Amino acid sequence: MIKGNFPLEQLKSLPTPFYYYDVELLKQTLATVKDESSRHGYQVHYAVKANRNPRILSIIAEAGFGADCVSGGEIQSALEAGIPAEKIVYAGVGKADWEIVLGLEKGIYCFNVESEAEIKVINEIAGSMGKVAPVALRINPEIDAHTHSKITTGMKENKFGINLGLLNDALDLLQTTKHVHLSGIHFHIGSQITDISAFQALVIRANEIQDELESRRIKLEHVNFGGGLGINYHHPNHVPVADFKTYFDAISALVELRPGQQAHFEPGRSIIAQCGTLISRVLYVKEGETKTFVILDAGFTDLIRPAMYDAYHRIENLTSEDEAAQTYDVVGPVCESADVFAQGIELNTTRRGDLIAIRSAGAYGEAMASQYNGRRLPAAYFSDTL
Ligand SMILES: *Cc1c(COP(=O)(O)O)cnc(C)c1O
């Protein structure tokens, strides 16, 4: 079985489970994103929620990226990592007052607002602080991203964004709110999108919306297309970097930006997913009547994507040289039937103590870890400081 390139001798001596990050791959990915986006003059804000490990954030900050945050805590993490406030955007359906105050105090680039109720509250808070809040309207473009139902966000009447039918009301409201300045429009149609035509449909819809806004004499400084570009979970060894060229070129071919207007993007998963691996040790190989279970010391408390989204992650036995593959269910120790990483997969013959790599876990892995069952949060190690 083909395996990733891991410094096995060093990893063997570390207490499991832990996240291992390939810093060279992260830097290579960031350089690719930078090249392919700056060719078109696009601005990129990394979606912090995918992974807000401080070391990861500081590498992303050093590469000159902005941050897309979904909470006050993420704004603080981004600032601490060295991302300047003027490169921070803040989205979320439920911004608390203290989070709005924090964003205004720090002078972030933009609040991506999701309802009329929120516009009124931001207007009030900004007014009491003697400030004007820059906002972008997050619009539901009603584009089906063809992805898992729990990570699709651009359809009508899900909790995110303002429906197209309510856009005019929101624009009317914005003419009365003196402490809010409309700076742009924002979209985010979902995550793990591998069908470029969904992004093409989004750009066409954004063009139509811009035409409508122009008929109302509204000029925008930026159009934000959100994140969502998918990665190849099945072939992390062959496709370690997502196809950013196809993505940005497809958008550039269709988008009708107005003079001086900027296009913004918020990739999360596609930047960090392939750089992270959850490394775990086999506690037991349990023979059932019809199945053989590999019981790991990592569970859904360390990586919840398989339990939460039925997500596939490639799993490799790093230590077994035994090429005779066998069929296993790979599970964690948490007391929940959902604590399953994979069913009926092939691994090299596996024994107690083997090191197991769960690949493509850099995004929504460590960031979603919990202490359920009294478990410790996973540690993180980096390829360049092992
Ligand atoms: C989650 C999220 C992103 C990042 O999505 P990815 O699929 O990880 O690229 C970007 N923008 C917003 C508003 C989000 O909620």
Side-chain angles (χ1 to χ4, degrees):
M1 187 183 199
I2 297 165
K3 300 178 195 178
N5 206 0
F6 293 97
L8 195 54
E9 284 315 306
Q10 283 145 302
L11 297 186
K12 268 183 186 165
S13 63
L14 299 170
T16 47
F18 60 87
Y19 276 91
Y20 171 72
Y21 292 106
D22 183 337
V23 172
E24 289 70 32
L25 178 59
L26 174 57
K27 289 184 174 170
Q28 187 194 330
T29 306
L30 291 170
T32 305
V33 177
K34 198 129 223 200
D35 286 352
E36 298 301 338
S37 61
S38 58
R39 190 194 309 286
H40 304 291
Y42 298 160
Q43 304 276 324
V44 178
H45 297 105
Y46 164 69
V48 174
K49 76 173 190 282
N51 188 317
R52 65 179 192 93
N53 179 294
R55 176 88 209 284
I56 300 285
L57 279 186
S58 73
I59 294 168
I60 292 171
E62 269 166 41
F65 285 71
D68 162 44
C69 300
V70 292
S71 72
E74 285 191 359
I75 294 175
Q76 276 157 341
S77 299
L79 290 168
E80 279 160 24
I83 295 173
E86 64 269 19
K87 285 191 186 171
I88 294 178
V89 298
Y90 176 22
V93 278
K95 301 181 184 74
D97 292 14
W98 74 268
E99 295 176 305
I100 295 169
V101 170
L102 177 73
L104 287 166
E105 271 174 1
K106 300 293 182 190
I108 62 169
Y109 175 74
C110 193
F111 291 83
N112 294 334
V113 297
E114 312 215 3
S115 64
E116 289 188 39
E118 183 191 337
I119 293 170
K120 290 177 190 162
V121 170
I122 293 181
N123 185 55
E124 221 175 272
I125 294 176
S128 73
M129 294 170 70
K131 296 195 184 247
V132 175
V135 304
L137 286 178
R138 174 165 177 179
I139 300 168
N140 256 332
E142 293 169 28
I143 305 285
D144 188 349
H146 304 293
T147 184
H148 190 275
S149 64
K150 282 189 186 153
I151 48 176
T152 187
T153 54
M155 298 292 277
K156 210 170 181 168
E157 296 299 328
N158 76 48
K159 75 172 181 177
F160 298 104
I162 294 169
N163 275 358
L164 282 173
L166 297 174
L167 181 55
N168 271 314
D169 292 349
L171 293 170
D172 290 344
L173 172 65
L174 282 168
Q175 298 202 311
T176 69
T177 49
K178 291 198 190 66
H179 294 279
V180 169
H181 161 70
L182 179 63
S183 153
I185 50 176
H186 173 232
F187 307 92
H188 175 67
I189 56 172
S191 202
Q192 185 51 20
I193 301 168
T194 49
D195 177 1
I196 285 287
S197 71
F199 294 113
Q200 290 169 321
L202 170 61
V203 174
I204 291 166
R205 185 60 50 82
N207 290 341
E208 291 165 3
I209 293 170
Q210 282 237 73
D211 292 342
E212 273 181 53
L213 294 184
E214 255 177 6
S215 71
R216 290 190 58 145
R217 298 169 164 272
I218 294 170
K219 281 206 177 115
L220 302 175
E221 287 139 44
H222 73 275
V223 181
N224 185 334
F225 293 103
L229 181 63
I231 61 134
N232 194 325
Y233 281 98
H234 284 85
H235 302 289
N237 297 314
H238 301 300
V239 193
V241 181
D243 191 355
F244 291 100
K245 178 172 171 44
T246 299
Y247 172 65
F248 287 120
D249 287 355
I251 284 164
S252 165
L254 289 170
V255 71
E256 291 165 6
L257 293 176
R258 309 315 197 236
Q261 198 172 58
Q262 291 185 337
H264 290 195
F265 294 86
E266 304 171 333
R269 183 193 313 271
S270 55
I271 288 187
I272 192 62
Q274 300 289 32
C275 309
T277 302
L278 177 59
I279 305 278
S280 170
R281 218 175 288 273
V282 177
L283 294 175
Y284 307 104
V285 176
K286 174 174 170 176
E287 298 289 346
E289 275 188 312
T290 58
K291 290 177 160 199
T292 306
F293 296 94
V294 169
I295 302 176
L296 301 180
D297 61 5
F300 78 21
T301 50
D302 305 293
L303 176 66
I304 204 170
R305 297 189 67 260
M308 191 158 167
Y309 310 117
D310 307 313
Y312 171 87
H313 284 265
R314 181 180 164 87
I315 300 178
E316 298 167 357
N317 184 329
L318 297 184
T319 27
S320 172
E321 296 295 340
D322 201 337
E323 283 301 326
Q326 309 219 24
T327 303
Y328 299 102
D329 279 17
V330 179
V331 304
V334 176
C335 293
E336 295 283 344
S337 321
D339 191 22
V340 174
F341 288 114
Q343 294 186 31
I345 62 153
E346 300 225 313
L347 287 177
N348 294 358
T349 303
T350 296
R351 297 173 188 85
R352 172 174 164 82
D354 284 353
L355 271 197
I356 299 290
I358 305 182
R359 304 292 305 278
S360 316
Y364 309 106
E366 190 185 353
M368 292 176 94
S370 79
Q371 293 182 299
Y372 180 49
N373 275 203
R375 288 173 55 78
R376 262 180 275 178
L377 290 173
Y381 297 96
F382 301 87
S383 56
D384 61 341
T385 53
L386 266 188

